[in-house]
Amino acid sequence: MLEIYDYCILAFLTVYGLILLYLHHRGTEIVVARLDKRKDFVVESRDDKSITLSTVVEFANVGKQSALIVDAIVKPQLPFEQYDGIAVRGKAEREGYPREDDYFEALVLEHQQSFNFVAKVTLTARKGMTLEQALSHMVDFPVEIIYREVGRNPMHFSIARIMLTTEELSRVTGVKIISD
């Protein structure tokens, strides 16, 4: 025979189950980086020692709820052990909203909406080399877009990875790559 606390537990589990079903029906935010639609890198600026390249990636909320993109950074993955002739730095921006600082302003991404994310990469020659000399010995390296989002799901980080190949770098910069 069931006791009163058994009925309480059964009622609690029933209400909890109904809440989970409701939330599942309402859905969550799902933010995706559409890397397959990424634009080619282009030259933003160039001088004797450095070049800044940028690419545009569409970020879309394909979920049923709004998402908040709290923060984003661009992290090029070129350690000195792989190639020490170039220092690399990344910067994140929203297309149409350039910033002079390295701050990424948070934004609300409504369900079924998107925005264009600009990933900038600055390559600076090191070790007394000219930019052309340093670029001619470059290697492929990944550029990660690390973004923090929140919605119905708890706040979490996601990573979108772009590979900046020597072929694309050569095509954009006009520098012939020398295989070492």
Side-chain angles (χ1 to χ4, degrees):
M1 193 158 148
L2 294 174
E3 297 289 329
I4 189 71
Y5 65 87
D6 292 329
Y7 287 114
C8 289
I9 291 173
L10 186 59
F12 172 78
L13 290 175
T14 301
V15 170
Y16 181 73
L18 289 172
I19 290 171
L20 288 179
L21 283 173
Y22 171 75
L23 291 177
H24 179 71
H25 171 71
R26 294 286 296 164
T28 61
E29 77 289 347
I30 303 170
V31 177
V32 295
R34 299 225 165 112
L35 296 175
D36 56 330
K37 297 180 180 180
R38 176 183 74 84
K39 295 180 182 175
D40 289 339
F41 277 94
V42 295
V43 176
E44 292 268 327
S45 63
R46 184 177 189 160
D47 60 32
D48 293 339
K49 284 302 225 178
S50 68
I51 187 168
T52 299
L53 309 173
S54 68
T55 184
V56 177
V57 177
E58 178 188 6
F59 275 70
N61 182 355
V62 298
K64 294 182 178 180
Q65 296 294 324
S66 300
L68 177 63
I69 307 298
V70 178
D71 196 12
I73 60 170
V74 173
K75 178 133 177 57
Q77 301 286 318
L78 183 63
F80 287 162
E81 294 85 2
Q82 187 177 5
Y83 180 59
D84 64 354
I86 290 277
V88 187
R89 186 170 183 275
K91 184 177 180 183
E93 289 182 352
R94 277 176 54 201
E95 189 176 53
Y97 298 91
R99 294 191 63 105
E100 292 185 20
D101 57 4
D102 286 337
Y103 183 77
F104 184 84
E105 189 173 345
L107 68 121
V108 175
L109 190 56
E110 300 292 338
H111 67 285
Q112 304 304 313
Q113 287 187 341
S114 63
F115 78 99
N116 286 334
F117 182 93
V118 180
K120 293 185 177 187
V121 178
T122 301
L123 306 165
T124 305
R126 297 182 67 243
K127 297 189 161 191
M129 288 190 274
T130 66
L131 180 62
E132 286 72 22
Q133 289 170 328
L135 288 176
S136 69
H137 296 281
M138 276 297 291
V139 295
D140 296 349
F141 67 95
V143 176
E144 292 183 342
I145 301 170
I146 304 168
Y147 57 101
R148 188 168 51 162
E149 65 178 275
V150 67
R152 281 195 186 268
N153 289 317
M155 190 175 299
H156 63 280
F157 286 96
S158 297
I159 298 175
R161 183 177 254 209
I162 301 166
M163 187 59 88
L164 180 51
T165 64
T166 54
E167 290 82 16
E168 186 172 9
L169 188 62
S170 177
R171 186 174 58 248
V172 171
T173 64
V175 175
K176 184 176 188 265
I177 306 297
I178 300 169
S179 297
D180 289 335

